[in-house]
Amino acid sequence: MTRIKKTRIFSPLRAPAVRPGPAGGPRDQNRRVRTRKLCAAGLALFLELGLDVASIDQIARRAGVGKATFYAYFHDKEELVATLLAPFRDRALAAMDACLERILAASDFGQFARAQELMAAELMATFTDNLDVLRLLLQEARGPASGARRPIRAFYDEIVERAVEHNRAALAEGLIRDIHPRVVAFINLGAIERLAVGMLDGADLGAPADVARSLAAVMLAGLRRPR
């Protein structure tokens, strides 16, 4: 089975109101270390206990800081989840936006297919670079869109609407067969989600790049207009 390298990227949405010392100085470095610890602790506890059960007290204790320090960096759990999600979200949506630009410039099915293939490859790379965040997304996406889960549900909605926009644009240009754009989006996103679950469960899927190519091939086969 192909080993997948796991990396974590944390990008806080805001810093404490009083920035400790000059950028790059010891106090600034300590701030960055505390931010990483809070993010790592929050992500670990969210995966262990779920968003609803994991508390700010538990996150602060796991990070080795006081509860007041948590609130110096994050308003609440919702902001912490948004911070954890931000690099994953930004990269995934950027890939989908780039795909739409290619679709709008496409003049035939081959160019549309290439746009989809490039997007699939970038999305798969995004998954493999952020496995724990992906696991959190899949774990929490079916819960109510409230509280700390709100950023996750909002991200899912963004993904769906971009996928629908892709299909509408391709349909308007006559690049794909006449299937309801939202139906296509739900089918394709369902396949992506199932592959992600399999990847996290350690299923033998082959190399991530091969998975992306296979995914694109299956999706495109159903969209090609009959001759």
Side-chain angles (χ1 to χ4, degrees):
M1 182 176 65
T2 303
R3 289 182 60 84
I4 299 174
K5 181 181 179 181
K6 177 164 64 175
T7 61
R8 293 177 179 173
I9 305 171
F10 300 122
S11 176
L13 299 180
R14 68 184 183 95
V18 179
R19 188 176 295 273
R27 297 184 68 190
D28 181 52
Q29 290 297 321
N30 289 337
R31 178 180 63 84
R32 294 175 184 276
V33 168
R34 284 193 295 272
T35 300
R36 287 195 295 271
K37 286 183 176 180
L38 283 166
C39 287
L43 182 55
L45 284 166
F46 293 151
L47 290 173
E48 290 173 19
L49 305 176
L51 288 177
D52 294 331
V53 175
S55 69
I56 290 173
D57 282 327
Q58 289 172 312
I59 294 169
R61 283 199 301 271
R62 175 79 59 102
V65 301
K67 190 173 181 179
T69 299
F70 177 95
Y71 285 113
Y73 288 82
F74 305 102
H75 289 299
D76 49 27
K77 288 194 297 182
E78 180 178 345
E79 189 174 26
L80 175 55
V81 170
T83 299
L84 293 169
L85 181 60
F88 186 103
R89 172 189 175 276
D90 293 348
R91 187 171 169 185
L93 295 184
M96 297 193 78
D97 289 343
C99 181
L100 179 60
E101 292 181 8
R102 296 187 185 101
I103 291 171
L104 293 173
S107 58
D108 56 35
F109 184 82
Q111 292 178 357
F112 168 78
R114 181 58 178 161
Q116 296 290 311
E117 289 164 356
L118 290 171
M119 180 182 68
E122 178 59 21
L123 289 177
M124 187 59 63
T126 302
F127 291 172
T128 57
D129 286 345
N130 298 273
L131 288 179
D132 280 346
V133 176
L134 175 62
R135 195 183 303 277
L136 180 65
L137 283 168
L138 295 173
Q139 173 181 298
E140 299 291 343
R142 296 294 179 265
S146 60
R149 198 173 288 103
R150 199 170 1 244
I152 291 175
R153 292 294 303 273
F155 172 58
Y156 260 70
D157 289 344
E158 289 178 299
I159 289 287
V160 170
E161 293 310 313
R162 275 170 168 76
V164 172
E165 190 175 5
H166 289 181
N167 298 326
R168 282 179 178 153
L171 189 59
E173 296 299 319
L175 300 174
I176 61 175
R177 65 192 306 168
D178 188 4
I179 305 176
H180 194 292
R182 195 168 295 274
V183 171
V184 175
F186 285 163
I187 291 171
N188 290 344
L189 292 173
I192 292 172
E193 185 171 325
R194 189 63 194 88
L195 280 172
V197 170
M199 183 169 61
L200 291 172
D201 287 345
D204 186 4
L205 300 173
D210 293 336
V211 173
R213 282 191 290 270
S214 298
L215 174 63
V218 171
M219 289 179 175
L220 292 167
L223 291 175
R224 187 184 294 274
R225 291 172 61 119
R227 295 179 179 179

